[in-house]
Amino acid sequence: MTKKEIRKGYLAILIVALIILLPIFIALPQQAQDRTLILAFGIDKMQEQYEVSAQIMVPESSQSGYKEKREVKSSVGKTIDQAIASLQLNEGKDIGVAHANILIINEQAIGEDINSVLDYFIRNRDIGYLTIATTPNSAKEMLEISANSSSDKDSLLRLISYNNENIFGTDSTLNKLLFGYYSPAQTSIISRLQLSSSSSQSSSQASTQNSTNEQSGSGESQSSSGESSSGQQSSQPMTAGNSQSSGSEQSSGSSGEQSSQSSKQILNDGSIVVLKSGKVVVTLDPLQYRGFHWLMPTKSSSFIELNNINNEYFKDATVVLDIINSKESIEYEITSDNIPIIKFNTELEYSISSIQQSEYDADIYAESMNDSTDVISKALQNLIDSEVQGAINLSKQYQIDILNIYDKFHQKYGKKFDKIVQFNEGDYLRDVEVYVNVKVKENKI
Amino acid sequence: MEKFSNKQVEEKLKTIFHNSTDFKVRKFISLQKFDTILFFFDNIVDVKRLDKEVIEQLMQNFEVDDNADICKFAIENCLTVGQSELVDNFDDVITKLLNGFCALYFDKCGKFIVLDVKNFQSRSIAEPPTSAVLKGPREGFNESIATNIMLLRKRLKNNDLVVSQMPVGKYSQTQVAIVYIDSIASPEVVKKVKEKIKAIDIDGIVDSFYIEKALEERSYSLFQQVGSTEKPDVAMAKILEGRVAIVVDGSPMVLTVPYLLIEDLQNSNDYYFARAPRVTFLRFLRMFGILIAIYLPGIYVAVQVFHYKVLPYKFLVTITNSTLGIPFTPLIEILFIILLFEGLTEASLRMPSYLGLALSIVGALILGDTAVNAGLVSSPAVMIVALTGVLLFTVPDQEAQLSILRLVFTLIGGILGLYGIVCASVFLFAYLSNLDSYGTPFLAPYAPNIKEDKKDAFRRYDLREMKYRPKSIPNQNKIRQKKL
Amino acid sequence: MIKDITGRQAIILMAIVMCATKFFVLPSNLLTTGHQTVIYVMLLFFVVEFLLLLVMVRVSMLHPDKTFYELLCDSVGVVVAKIVYVLFFVFFIFKLCINIIETYTFFLDTLYDELSSVLYLLPIILLAFYMTYIGLRSIGRSAELLWVFVFLGLAVALIASIPNADFGYMLPIFDGEVDNAISVLSSNSLWFGDYLVYLFFFGKIKFQKNYFTKFAIVCGIVMAVIVLFMAVVYCIFPYTMGMIHYGVSDITHITAHITNIGNLDWLNTTLWTFASIIQTVIFAYCAERCLSAVFNIKYKYISSSISLLILTAVLFILNFRLTTLIAFVQSPVRFLLPILLFVALNIITVHFICRSKQKKQNRMRGIIYD
């Protein structure tokens, strides 16, 4: 065969292929029109069945401007798969989950093992980066509030992702959850969202808070409960759409505008749910979680409130500090007695953001600007120490290894640490001690 | 040749030219004793020169010996026309007459004197419409080969500039000139070009495109393998790099070989107007323009039909909303708009200028706005096709090929999706890298990589740094300029 | 001998071929059971491969006008050379199967909802046929153009993912699992040995200045990048490797976490499939060369058609399933690579040594070499 004949043969094959294939493929419709696009999932438990809610995108014809409409549809089933299959049948279209990035799970739905809920989402290759949160309230209601927001449809995502990343320093994603679930520590954490009208959670928060407040430093009681200010960690709930929060844009935000939900808001106050082997073990409020935070490499900047500061300048003052710079080092050692020790060294630079006290004396106030560091520094050191010790105690109490202590020791000591774990019958946290060394410095501008 | 009489010669030539009315015969007595007959085509000679330099001169009183060779005497003593020669066969006389010469025959002389008095009317030298410059020379080639060669000669005043002319075409006898610098151009390339032109056996050469087809090694390819230009400064630059220029009578397009694809990304403005960083930016812009023009419609269809997952959410919302209710599928919609725009482009080339405004409004409003408002097509699709249609013209010389490629990739995107586009891209690159133009790789200096030549490729270095001629083009003399 | 490719093109081809299919399912296959130990074992294995590759390069430079087949015939005779080439043919068919099925499954899982295997196969087979027909020169030039896109995709994936990797998980180094790591590596051996394609560049490379040094540096970097990639994947998913299917796309999943960016990681990995296609074409070329040499087939389009038909048949026997493919290549078939390495490289090393000895002897006798 000559080159020309081969070329002609090639061309003939291509033309025939085109003639055969074109009529088939020219009629293929747009995929997005053929599918129900799901943006967020919510899972509730109703008696013995799961109710799966899906926030879906509803197309609206528009040739100019951006219009977005979302609705929430739900269906029930004995398993998640069944519920989703039923949803598909109800919609009459395939579901498209490629843009789904939020999963809200009601705490009751978690049950004995969260993996039973997550299995569908793990196996589905279309789902990419999935942010997960739990709630004691109805997940469906949360999706509806978010969907009905006229201004910011993505407020739910922003409430969790942005705040977690930049304020609370948590990583509440499917990937991280599975990481913890399958790790030797078997510990995972998930963000916890609430609706504002729910009051049951505030008492549990108070109970965990009180246990922290019992620790004290040098006779001056401190509390890390404090006021909220823009973008800061606090015991005041962060609201979606709250103008104080830097995560959202308008005050209406994702607050429900429907009559039944108009008073309800979705709140992310930074509390987390801790799971051990997929089961909920404890809920930690932001102040308790901050203790763990000191020992984590990723942190957000935060304000710290010191109460009852007393010296020659202050009397029962509340001092709010802004942490500007911090340098940490964490060392993991095993002593000759096979005691795992964590040495936490940190150098902080802070500035005084505000001081509040009942009586202000102008002269004293002016002097206090230059000479107040010692007391405050000591108070801060004590606070950090107490929070860190509190975190370790919580870990021991509930056998939750949020800090990946197992991994750190195993990486450094390998078999030696495995022997300690074996000796302690798996409870390697029992003997862990932490030594805190805090150096603080005031940044006086 | 036999010593025919004037009458015999007249009859023979009139028969050969089928008694054409523009074939004139002038009989007179020259040098007061010789019967002379003058043949010419009156539309292609300068009649005034004929009268003054031929007839008037021959009618003067010169003393001639009876035994003298009258033809030789006339050439040496009487005729004042610059170019004259003796021809002793009818074939050559016919060729000369058809080329604007006049033929003088003395009774029973046996030889013709052919004199160059041609006067082919042609367009004046003007700026070519396809290659406008902001700063720089504005002369352009026209349809006269003599003018075109003059434009080259006046720029390359060197004895090594060779012009080798030959007639091509059985009926047209079109003059085709090969122009090159003997001390720079590769002898193999010159030889190959000459052979290919000599091998042309055709009725007539209407335009240089006919010669282009003959010069290409793969004439069925979508991509041209011969360069062309309407500007003498560009032709000069190419000749100086070692290329061979082919000038065709009757065509303002001068061909150049060998050809590189990167040539079409270069523009006269790059050398006369803009500085090196700006030129580099513009060349990358042209390249991205090409890539977007070829790939964007195909990718748009592919992501709609097969890969909605890839689209960011807000894009997806916009596209879904705008295509809701459109009766066409994505592939049909895009093909429909592409064909509409191609039709509009084609019509705009042919429409009378006084209708231009009206049809522009029809095109813009009806095709663009009204079709979208009527819900027949979506605005993203119209925008994409319009954008790519404009970007095709960032490299106007490749517009035809790119337009076909755009269509092909759109079809492939609609049939096979992104995978098909990837495979087709690899195929395209393989195909292009397999093309050669007279021993020069088509995709040089990037495939194969030629470092020195990259100084004037996508990135343009300062002119002073281009010391050597391009290595990708076969040439003899490597050094272009010494170090300043 | 016509030199089809320049030194630079040879280096680029080797770089692409060596890493193309190591970033899809191989990370999951190796790291799920091998953990971090297998990365260190793989590093040692790469050092050996690297040295063997340098030997090959040296031999090719010593015999710039001879193909590997000619060298084999000179060393061990035509019959043995043909047997070796049959083994190579089988090897490259298996490599093609791995390449094609992996890429098919990747597209099917990530980018497409449905993709018919026939519709997938047709373009790649036609492309492979076309490019083996037009020859190594065009393959080299195409790779020279496309390598930017290929490594851009990889660079984006790595740069976006490295901040999320906690390299502490690379410790402890061996963790008492060396046997397991070796076993895992050997059962996935057919994913390695891509560098053997260099044998089919013998006699076709136009060597340039400092070719050996540049080759060594680039291949060293490529191997280092492969090891780095494995480390990054493991350090991002140390406990969930079993859920990872395609390393190169999954590591970018976790970084594309803002809705507005969307799943651009999949678009990024589409760039990576250029590498896969170039590798397919190179393997098809090598298979065609093997068949041509064994049966003395004069026309390329015949040997190319036969080898691609055999490939198509094998693919349909494997039913285009990744699980079937993995089970198959982890069976005793996996010993094909070590056999080839043993046979081919021993021959090369012997030849290299013999040539060097002869050169030395000739120098001593006063014969001057160029």
Side-chain angles (χ1 to χ4, degrees), chain A residues 1 3 6 10 13-14 21 25 31 35 98 101 122 125-129 154 157 165 175 178-179 182-184 404 407-408 410-411 414-415, chain C residues 109-110 113 119 126-127 129-130 133 166 168-169 171-172 175-176 236-240 243 245-246 249-250 253-254 256-257 259 263 266 301:
Chain A
M1 276 168 83
K3 272 189 183 177
I6 292 168
Y10 220 96
I13 292 171
L14 286 171
L21 293 172
F25 288 91
Q31 261 190 338
R35 275 159 181 76
N101 46 32
I122 295 167
R125 296 284 309 158
D126 283 349
I127 295 175
Y129 192 83
D154 280 328
L157 177 66
E165 235 181 85
N175 191 54
L178 291 174
F179 175 91
Y182 287 105
S183 68
N404 291 330
D407 286 341
K408 300 297 178 203
H410 181 77
Q411 284 164 18
K415 283 194 163 30
Chain C
D109 267 8
T110 55
D113 282 350
L119 215 56
L126 286 174
L127 188 62
F129 175 81
Y130 175 71
Y133 177 72
D166 180 0
Y169 286 100
L171 299 168
D175 210 13
I236 293 173
F237 305 108
Y239 300 119
T240 51
M243 292 174 194
H245 291 206
Y246 308 104
S249 72
D250 286 349
H253 257 33
I254 62 163
H257 61 276
T259 323
N263 288 314
W266 286 328
Y301 67 88

Side-chain angles (χ1 to χ4, degrees), chain B residues 100-120:
Chain B
F101 283 59
C102 65
L104 199 65
Y105 187 78
F106 297 103
D107 195 36
K108 291 184 183 146
C109 173
K111 283 180 275 191
F112 286 88
I113 301 173
V114 289
L115 304 156
D116 184 0
V117 287
K118 67 165 98 61
N119 182 25
F120 291 119

Side-chain angles (χ1 to χ4, degrees), chain C residues 25-44:
Chain C
V25 299
L26 185 65
S28 175
N29 285 356
L30 290 179
L31 299 169
T32 306
T33 44
H35 303 296
Q36 75 274 23
T37 312
V38 80
I39 297 175
Y40 295 106
V41 176
M42 191 172 70
L43 181 62
L44 294 172

